[in-house]
Amino acid sequence: MAALASLNEVSKEILRYYLTYPDACETAEGLARWRLIQVHVERTVRETNEAVVDLVRRGLLTKTTRRGVEVLFMMNRERAAEARTLVEDPPAGKTDGDR
């Protein structure tokens, strides 16, 4: 058991993968790609959650819940014009330095 306690996080992730998929047979590159996808998905979900919470707080999105369904987000149509100006490119001839 002492050997398991000394595993680093990457080793633990890989071992969990093989425990979940005991018939898996992967190259080191395949495992690296799997880890990269996992990390990317987790980061993207976290960043997306933070962004939609901010957009709801600002009143640009609304959220609704329905029984048996995850929280749903929708455009606040009353603020659509404001939202449009926030995502548009800067006017022609203007750069970020001009703001």
Side-chain angles (χ1 to χ4, degrees):
M1 285 297 187
L4 291 179
S6 64
L7 290 177
N8 65 39
E9 283 305 308
V10 173
S11 297
K12 288 179 184 180
E13 287 176 15
I14 292 169
L15 193 54
R16 281 188 203 104
Y17 172 83
Y18 280 106
L19 288 169
T20 303
Y21 306 101
D23 295 329
C25 183
E26 292 286 346
T27 63
E29 183 177 341
L31 288 166
R33 289 178 188 277
W34 167 78
R35 289 187 62 243
L36 182 61
I37 290 168
Q38 289 297 107
V39 168
H40 179 72
V41 167
E42 289 171 10
R43 186 184 78 230
T44 301
V45 169
R46 184 178 60 251
E47 291 171 349
T48 301
N49 282 329
E50 291 170 0
V52 294
V53 165
D54 181 55
L55 292 168
V56 169
R57 183 184 58 78
R58 293 171 184 256
L60 298 166
L61 295 183
T62 62
K63 72 178 184 177
T64 186
T65 55
R66 296 192 177 122
R67 186 180 306 235
V69 179
E70 292 185 49
V71 175
L72 301 172
F73 300 93
M74 298 171 23
M75 181 74 223
N76 179 349
R77 292 178 187 234
E78 294 175 2
R79 306 276 305 273
E82 180 183 354
R84 199 170 283 111
T85 63
L86 290 170
V87 297
E88 287 178 348
D89 292 330
K94 293 242 179 198
T95 63
D96 286 340
D98 295 335
R99 290 184 181 182

